[in-house]
Amino acid sequence: MIRRTLEELGISGHERLCTESTPPAAWGAQAHEVHNPATGERLAWVRMDTRDTYEEVVGASVAAFERWRNVPAPVRGQLVRAIGDEFRRLKAPLGRLISLEVGKIREEGLGEVQETIDIADFAVGLSRQLYGLTMPSERESHRMFEQWLPLGPVGVISAFNFPNAVWAWNAMIAAVCGDSVVWKPSMLAPLTAIASQNIAAGVAEGAGYPGLFGLVFGPDDVIGETMTADPRLPLISATGSTRMGRHVAQRVAQRLGRTLLELGGNNAVIVDRSTDLNLAIPAIVFAAVGTAGQRCTTTRRLIVHTSIADEVLARLSRAYDTIRIGDPLAEGTLVGPLIGERAVLDFEHAVSAAIEQGGVLVKGGKRLNPKTLPEHLSGGQFVEPTILRAPASNSLPVSADETFAPILYVFTFEELADALAMNNGVAQGLSSAIFTDSVRTAEVFLSPAGSDCGIANVNIGTSGAEIGGAFGGEKDTGGGRESGSDSWKAYMRRQTCTINYGTTLRLAQGIRFE
């Protein structure tokens, strides 16, 4: 299946790829093995970059930027429109490749490519709306305004869990803003990156703009460290763990560059006693187990009013019994594998820690026995979606950590103020949600004293953001915003301009210097 998929995407003979049993001898230590997390089988070998090949890519990106910045923004938008159309044409095989490489179920793989298509459409409209401001000057015969200009080559560092869409959020908007892009994908998802890069770069090169989209692939100590220290990349947009984000921020700050950080989440859903549970339960289940709990917006903490806690747990437990775990490309599968063995060990450690801290295991909690799976999945990394109820004290320290796995910790509350304190009582601040039929409760949740997260939803879950809204969060989530709204400003530089169209030199603040 992998060979057919690569052929459909037009990259089966790509210079970076090898699907044979052994890589070319010339690659040597630069050969990197990519595995399917659902089966454990090798998908391909990928050639990693060296510092020399990194220089080639960034040099081409700088040259592309120097041309691209002079292209009118609406014309840049037409190129992005063509890129979006190519992703439309190749949506099915690219979605399949995402499933093969990172284990997302078919629907989520296709949904991720749809996000790329949507952000391309958004960026096309944005290309005619890069507005500046005009403001009155205090000086006679003077005009004052500000404008937004292209920033430069943008470095994008992405994580495995969204191997296509997060790059697109950055790349499509950066492109209409007049920037070139250098992308470092996750070591766990290079195939999707090569395919996505090939689509965008192919359109750009066909239009006469080679180097506009660049790809560098390799370990952090070779490629990541070089990128973050490179003054030719004025902005580094990084998605990943809080630990990684702190390191990136420090490295880039040393050279006074900019960072756009979208880091960890530890998201909570509050379930008020007035909640319509027929609405809430499906939303909670999807947000808690979608992508096998490997979204930064995954619901990890459930805060339920004491009066309905038992009913909510019973209904969740029944819903979890219906979840089909297995081959992500099979019809009806709702939960695929974790990305690798380390993720499974992290899952097992978190479950054990929660029980040691007084948590009660309600559902799941174990690695799936390979003997219970079809033979072709016996090498996969599958775990049971898990529910753990906190002790009466509501103290469960392990829940303060983000574990990339389908673990849902359940707490109870009496007063809304207590629920809000629990929602806000973690270091991360990405996504949050409340289910309630009370307008007053919803408005308190959205008030300045309510959720402290970058995303706050009412009567929908914590995951599944639309591209029209700026995406990101506060505190240890990093403060960055990607995708919609005015997030385009991160990819441009602001310039204040004053024009004297009179015949007299007038100084600000009425200063006389004669």
Side-chain angles (χ1 to χ4, degrees):
M1 183 180 291
I2 184 62
R3 295 195 182 196
R4 176 169 64 88
T5 301
L6 297 178
E7 286 173 1
E8 289 182 60
L9 291 166
I11 58 171
S12 58
H14 195 281
E15 61 180 1
R16 286 182 178 268
L17 288 180
C18 173
T19 55
E20 303 300 326
S21 58
T22 57
W27 288 9
Q30 300 309 118
H32 175 75
E33 202 169 0
V34 184
H35 292 91
N36 181 338
T39 65
E41 68 175 327
R42 181 195 308 112
L43 294 174
W45 297 91
V46 176
R47 177 179 56 78
M48 297 187 291
D49 281 291
T50 63
R51 286 190 172 88
D52 288 340
T53 55
Y54 170 88
E55 285 298 322
E56 293 174 8
V57 172
V58 175
S61 185
V62 170
F65 168 70
E66 291 173 353
R67 292 186 61 215
W68 186 242
R69 64 185 173 183
N70 294 318
V71 175
V75 178
R76 299 193 294 251
Q78 292 308 303
L79 180 80
V80 171
R81 182 194 298 277
I83 292 172
D85 287 343
E86 273 297 277
F87 277 104
R88 279 187 179 87
R89 184 176 72 84
L90 296 169
K91 178 178 175 179
L94 186 56
R96 189 188 317 130
L97 181 59
I98 292 170
S99 294
L100 288 168
E101 187 169 41
V102 301
K104 285 189 174 182
I105 64 171
R106 185 194 302 271
E107 283 298 308
E108 290 189 88
L110 293 171
E112 180 169 350
V113 183
Q114 187 62 48
E115 280 193 65
T116 293
I117 295 165
D118 291 345
I119 198 64
D121 287 347
F122 179 89
V124 173
L126 182 64
S127 68
R128 294 181 181 270
Q129 300 180 76
L130 303 175
Y131 299 133
L133 296 173
T134 299
M135 59 281 289
S137 172
E138 66 185 53
R139 290 172 280 183
E140 183 182 331
S141 301
H142 283 62
R143 181 166 71 92
M144 188 164 62
F145 64 95
E146 64 181 29
Q147 59 182 353
W148 294 86
L149 301 171
L151 179 63
V154 173
V156 176
I157 300 173
S158 63
F160 78 87
N161 58 333
F162 280 86
N164 168 255
V166 168
W167 161 78
W169 289 356
N170 287 275
M172 298 302 101
I173 293 182
V176 298
C177 289
D179 302 330
S180 55
V181 177
V182 178
W183 180 18
K184 178 192 178 301
S186 166
M187 296 293 287
L188 299 170
L191 302 181
T192 301
I194 290 170
S196 302
Q197 161 73 12
N198 194 62
I199 293 168
V203 173
E205 289 171 13
Y209 297 100
L212 189 59
F213 299 97
L215 180 71
V216 288
F217 176 65
D220 292 341
D221 60 344
V222 177
I223 301 303
E225 295 292 282
T226 305
M227 279 186 76
T228 54
D230 194 337
R232 295 170 296 180
L233 305 177
L235 171 67
I236 298 292
S237 176
T239 301
S241 68
T242 297
R243 178 195 58 78
M244 179 275 286
R246 284 200 176 97
H247 181 73
V248 168
Q250 291 168 4
R251 291 272 295 175
V252 177
Q254 286 174 348
R255 59 178 174 86
L256 298 181
R258 299 188 199 174
T259 53
L260 193 166
L261 302 175
E262 198 284 288
L263 310 176
N266 192 348
N267 316 293
V269 169
I270 298 172
V271 182
D272 180 55
R273 59 182 154 190
S274 67
T275 297
D276 176 358
L277 293 182
N278 291 327
L279 177 66
I281 298 300
I284 294 166
V285 172
F286 171 73
V289 308
T291 323
Q294 296 172 117
R295 292 186 179 216
C296 53
T297 53
T298 292
T299 298
R300 309 199 181 281
R301 297 175 298 131
L302 186 62
I303 304 167
V304 187
H305 194 273
T306 305
S307 63
I308 58 171
D310 290 341
E311 181 182 0
V312 168
L313 278 170
R315 293 181 66 160
L316 280 176
S317 184
R318 289 196 296 271
Y320 271 48
D321 286 338
T322 68
I323 294 172
R324 181 176 172 183
I325 307 167
D327 186 343
L329 286 171
E331 194 69 33
T333 300
L334 295 180
V335 174
L338 295 186
I339 192 62
E341 175 68 16
R342 179 177 173 180
V344 175
L345 294 176
D346 288 344
F347 163 84
E348 292 176 330
H349 172 76
V351 172
S352 296
I355 294 172
E356 289 173 5
Q357 294 166 9
V360 177
L361 185 63
V362 176
K363 183 66 63 175
K366 299 190 297 295
R367 179 198 300 247
L368 258 63
N369 185 338
K371 294 180 180 179
T372 66
L373 294 166
E375 185 177 350
H376 74 289
L377 301 180
S378 60
Q381 308 293 339
F382 295 91
V383 301
E384 298 174 336
T386 297
I387 302 172
L388 284 151
R389 184 169 187 170
S393 64
N394 268 339
S395 175
L396 202 59
V398 69
S399 68
D401 301 325
E402 181 189 34
T403 302
F404 244 39
I407 302 175
L408 182 65
Y409 304 106
V410 182
F411 302 86
T412 57
F413 74 96
E414 292 282 355
E415 302 295 333
L416 180 59
D418 296 328
L420 290 171
M422 283 188 272
N423 179 85
N424 299 343
V426 293
Q428 308 86 353
L430 179 53
S431 188
S432 58
I434 191 168
F435 283 85
T436 180
D437 278 354
S438 165
V439 172
R440 180 174 295 153
T441 297
E443 290 294 336
V444 170
F445 178 74
L446 299 175
S447 74
S451 170
D452 66 359
C453 297
I455 299 169
N457 296 329
V458 176
N459 289 335
I460 58 172
T462 57
S463 62
E466 298 181 37
I467 58 91
F471 182 88
E474 303 303 322
K475 303 188 298 186
D476 276 6
T477 302
R481 294 296 187 276
E482 297 170 314
S483 189
S485 185
D486 66 348
S487 61
W488 60 269
K489 294 179 179 179
Y491 305 88
M492 305 195 81
R493 59 183 178 91
R494 188 197 313 243
Q495 187 177 76
T496 301
C497 308
T498 307
I499 300 172
N500 177 5
Y501 57 89
T503 58
T504 303
L505 177 64
R506 300 179 184 274
L507 301 178
Q509 292 82 50
I511 293 174
R512 298 176 64 88
F513 190 75
E514 299 175 351

